Amino acid sequence: MRVLLALLVSRLRLGLDRPAGERYVDWLGFIVTEGDFGRALTSNRPVAKILGPNILNTLVLAGVAFLSLPTAGVNPGDVAGHAS
């Protein structure tokens, strides 16, 4: 019985009693209006503090991938077009 009660309390604390779409819209609203990504479930630290140190590397990697797309797509297409 205690396990069931603990499970119900956890579900309420996490907001799992509300529909997923409603929780997602609320979460996005907090990000846009307050810059709050919430707290990590395992460490209870702010998610922004966990992601912050790694965001620069992520943006650099995404930028390199984005800029290499034209080369990766145009060159094989050019070769295939001239071969036929």
Side-chain angles (χ1 to χ4, degrees):
M1 189 68 172
R2 279 188 165 173
V3 173
L4 184 59
L5 182 60
L7 181 63
L8 289 172
V9 168
S10 294
R11 287 181 57 83
L12 289 172
R13 184 176 53 85
L14 295 171
L16 297 178
D17 57 326
R18 298 178 15 231
E22 182 180 320
R23 294 190 321 259
Y24 181 68
V25 169
D26 286 348
W27 178 73
L28 281 179
F30 282 122
I31 291 172
V32 171
T33 60
E34 301 176 21
D36 181 14
F37 286 86
R39 300 190 77 76
L41 293 176
T42 54
S43 64
N44 201 29
R45 292 174 42 208
V47 172
K49 297 267 187 206
I50 297 169
L51 296 178
N54 301 316
I55 198 70
L56 181 61
N57 291 338
T58 302
L59 292 175
V60 168
L61 180 61
V64 168
F66 181 75
L67 292 175
S68 66
L69 284 175
T71 303
V74 170
N75 287 345
D78 192 34
V79 169
H82 286 302
S84 52

